[in-house]
Amino acid sequence: MSGCVDIIGLGPGAEDLRCPRAARALEQATDLVGYVPYVERVAAATGQRVHGSDNREEIMRARLALELAEQGRRVAVVSSGDGGVFGMAAAVFEAMDHGEPQWRDLDVQVYPGVSAVLAAAARLGAPFGNDFCVISLSDNLKPWGVILNRVEAAAQVGFAMAFYNPISKSRPWQLGEALDRLRVHLPGSVPVMFARAVSRPEEHVAFTTLGDARPEQADMRTLVIVGNAETRVIERAGRDPWVYTPRSVGGG
Amino acid sequence: MSGCVDIIGLGPGAEDLRCPRAARALEQATDLVGYVPYVERVAAATGQRVHGSDNREEIMRARLALELAEQGRRVAVVSSGDGGVFGMAAAVFEAMDHGEPQWRDLDVQVYPGVSAVLAAAARLGAPFGNDFCVISLSDNLKPWGVILNRVEAAAQVGFAMAFYNPISKSRPWQLGEALDRLRVHLPGSVPVMFARAVSRPEEHVAFTTLGDARPEQADMRTLVIVGNAETRVIERAGRDPWVYTPRSVGGG
């Protein structure tokens, strides 16, 4: 039996937002590797070995997956959303790049999924109807100055933005500083949305503006979405508004 | 019978990369609205009225969808990939915003899909393993100067990038100019990938570098993906390489 590594995006949470291709690969796996809450969610399938690990052990987890595949196992490395967007895909290729030469010959496949940023955008309307960027505010793996430069440049040239990893116990002040920096370049009226656990039972979405946004509105599971200066809000009686960014730019 | 508008992302092409939620909404629709090739692809389902239209008629198409819903039809507005990423979602909300007041009361829902950019990234490896941006190079709806500023800023602060709508008969020179501008700020060694029709039978993927990339390598259906200065290529014997952007930035 020859092993493989399937890097699988589970989608944002709801079962019917998971691609059939990903679901089938999960069923065929002999081993599940990933962050504990994700593998536990999947582990209902029978007979699979579960290798759960903590949040910040991505490279060890990726190496384990490659080692297991080398032993002939069919390994599913799972991420919520899409594995390519702050999920496990980059970690697996980093481990391959710096690991055993024979790991390059393993069968590896990446199964795309609906990322949290796309699920949140769909829930809110169309905040990414024009050019946009996706930034992790975690400075565990990159200097805070690099992140702040990206946030600032994005505001200056008119990208809408999504912030992953906006806040945690060990990173309590970064989101506040990012919002302050945005306020230097964008009007206070720019829509800001806090989208938590979209498509799950515990989903919570809040609509505010850059002027009023407070870091306490986010937690580890929140995606923060910031419009550009032209993003509009369609108010509706008795329902959440729709937020969208026009496809055109200033008379363009 | 009360009408509705379902804004549906079909996914990149392969059937098994379409979310079950989107597939079910398509089946329940009475009317399909969209760009001719997309609605034709879907129209196998029986009994549905098809309202195909040309590529640049998004707002008229969106208005039609809202009018049909007002008449009690269940309307599916389809886009390839994800409707929120240069698809029909923003057009529907623009039409609602500037249209009849009662359109705001219609039941509208956005069904996320695997966008072309996520499908291409999965095919290539993990080029968006760090912060990234998504830019349409079409200057039909925004000034070219705005687009070029965004491309330049993205290069300067280290975003990996995906370019939608890189080239067409009526926009033959824009991609070349964007690549030239990138060469001012990024080393020629930066990986550039041309990903066409990923997950379809006619899929074609080409790997090159910023120094060697030529606009003729793209057509209307190509997504151009540009790494950042740290993006790496893992060569493999007899197979396409893997391309990934490390999660960390310069010792961060």
Side-chain angles (χ1 to χ4, degrees):
Chain A
M1 173 180 161
S2 101
C4 65
V5 175
D6 290 336
I7 303 168
I8 298 177
L10 299 176
E15 276 292 324
D16 61 357
L17 292 178
R18 181 174 300 164
C19 291
R21 184 179 293 185
R24 200 180 57 241
L26 276 176
E27 284 166 16
Q28 293 174 346
T30 59
D31 294 65
L32 298 182
V33 171
Y35 179 42
V36 173
Y38 304 148
V39 290
E40 280 180 353
R41 197 190 309 152
V42 171
T46 50
Q48 290 171 316
R49 283 197 227 166
V50 169
H51 309 265
S53 53
D54 194 16
N55 203 359
R56 290 174 63 172
E57 298 170 357
E58 285 93 350
I59 284 293
M60 280 175 55
R61 195 189 293 161
R63 289 182 57 90
L64 172 65
L66 292 160
E67 285 162 2
L68 289 166
E70 209 182 349
Q71 296 162 19
R73 312 290 298 175
R74 294 188 69 89
V75 186
V77 179
V78 301
S79 305
S80 72
D82 180 83
V85 180
F86 306 117
M88 281 298 297
V92 171
F93 293 114
E94 282 173 40
M96 183 191 289
D97 196 11
H98 301 294
E100 304 299 326
Q102 68 271 21
W103 287 353
R104 299 181 177 214
D105 299 324
L106 288 170
D107 279 321
V108 174
Q109 195 171 341
V110 187
Y111 292 74
V114 170
S115 60
V117 60
L118 296 186
R123 170 65 180 77
L124 299 170
F128 303 125
N130 209 301
D131 306 324
F132 67 98
C133 64
V134 179
I135 301 174
S136 168
L137 292 192
S138 169
D139 55 356
N140 289 337
L141 293 169
K142 56 193 173 186
W144 178 242
V146 167
I147 300 170
L148 215 50
N149 280 347
R150 290 176 180 173
V151 169
E152 184 156 33
Q156 286 173 321
V157 299
F159 285 119
M161 302 168 220
F163 296 153
Y164 277 69
N165 306 314
I167 203 161
S168 74
K169 274 182 196 156
S170 59
R171 296 180 292 99
W173 52 265
Q174 284 83 344
L175 175 58
E177 199 168 308
L179 292 170
D180 284 342
R181 188 61 64 95
L182 289 176
R183 291 183 188 111
V184 175
H185 300 286
L186 293 172
S189 58
V190 163
V192 171
M193 283 69 63
F194 295 89
R196 183 175 190 278
V198 167
S199 91
R200 291 186 195 285
E202 66 273 28
E203 173 180 301
H204 181 75
V205 177
F207 298 78
T208 183
T209 62
L210 184 56
D212 289 335
R214 290 170 294 105
E216 310 85 75
Q217 293 177 271
D219 69 6
M220 273 182 63
R221 298 184 61 198
T222 306
L223 204 63
V224 181
I225 293 182
V226 181
N228 70 19
E230 296 179 321
T231 301
R232 291 179 59 85
V233 177
I234 305 177
E235 297 293 348
R236 297 188 301 159
R239 302 203 222 179
D240 281 339
W242 290 118
V243 177
Y244 77 96
T245 302
R247 299 164 308 139
S248 61
V249 172
Chain B
M1 174 178 159
S2 102
C4 65
V5 175
D6 290 336
I7 304 168
I8 298 177
L10 298 176
E15 276 292 324
D16 62 356
L17 292 179
R18 181 174 301 163
C19 291
R21 183 180 294 187
R24 201 181 57 239
L26 276 176
E27 283 165 15
Q28 293 173 346
T30 60
D31 295 65
L32 299 182
V33 170
Y35 179 43
V36 173
Y38 303 149
V39 289
E40 280 180 353
R41 197 189 309 153
V42 171
T46 51
Q48 290 170 317
R49 285 197 226 164
V50 169
H51 310 264
S53 54
D54 194 14
N55 202 0
R56 289 174 63 171
E57 299 171 358
E58 285 93 350
I59 283 294
M60 282 174 55
R61 195 189 294 161
R63 290 182 56 91
L64 172 65
L66 292 160
E67 283 161 5
L68 289 167
E70 211 182 346
Q71 295 161 22
R73 313 288 299 173
R74 292 188 68 90
V75 186
V77 180
V78 300
S79 305
S80 73
D82 179 82
V85 180
F86 307 118
M88 282 297 295
V92 170
F93 293 113
E94 282 173 40
M96 181 191 289
D97 197 12
H98 302 294
E100 305 299 328
Q102 68 272 21
W103 287 353
R104 298 180 179 214
D105 299 324
L106 288 170
D107 280 321
V108 174
Q109 195 171 340
V110 187
Y111 292 74
V114 171
S115 61
V117 60
L118 296 188
R123 170 67 180 75
L124 299 169
F128 303 126
N130 209 301
D131 305 324
F132 68 99
C133 64
V134 179
I135 301 175
S136 168
L137 292 191
S138 169
D139 55 357
N140 290 335
L141 292 170
K142 55 192 174 186
W144 178 242
V146 167
I147 300 170
L148 215 49
N149 279 347
R150 290 176 181 175
V151 170
E152 186 157 33
Q156 287 173 319
V157 298
F159 284 119
M161 301 169 223
F163 296 153
Y164 276 70
N165 307 311
I167 202 161
S168 74
K169 275 182 195 158
S170 60
R171 297 180 291 99
W173 53 265
Q174 283 83 343
L175 176 59
E177 199 168 307
L179 291 170
D180 284 343
R181 188 62 63 95
L182 289 176
R183 291 182 187 110
V184 174
H185 300 285
L186 293 172
S189 58
V190 163
V192 172
M193 283 69 63
F194 295 89
R196 184 177 189 276
V198 167
S199 91
R200 292 186 194 286
E202 66 271 28
E203 173 180 302
H204 181 76
V205 177
F207 298 78
T208 182
T209 62
L210 183 57
D212 290 335
R214 291 168 295 105
E216 310 86 76
Q217 292 178 272
D219 69 8
M220 273 181 63
R221 298 184 61 198
T222 306
L223 203 65
V224 182
I225 293 181
V226 181
N228 70 18
E230 297 180 322
T231 301
R232 291 179 58 87
V233 178
I234 304 177
E235 297 293 349
R236 297 188 301 160
R239 302 205 221 179
D240 282 338
W242 290 119
V243 177
Y244 78 95
T245 302
R247 300 164 305 140
S248 59
V249 173

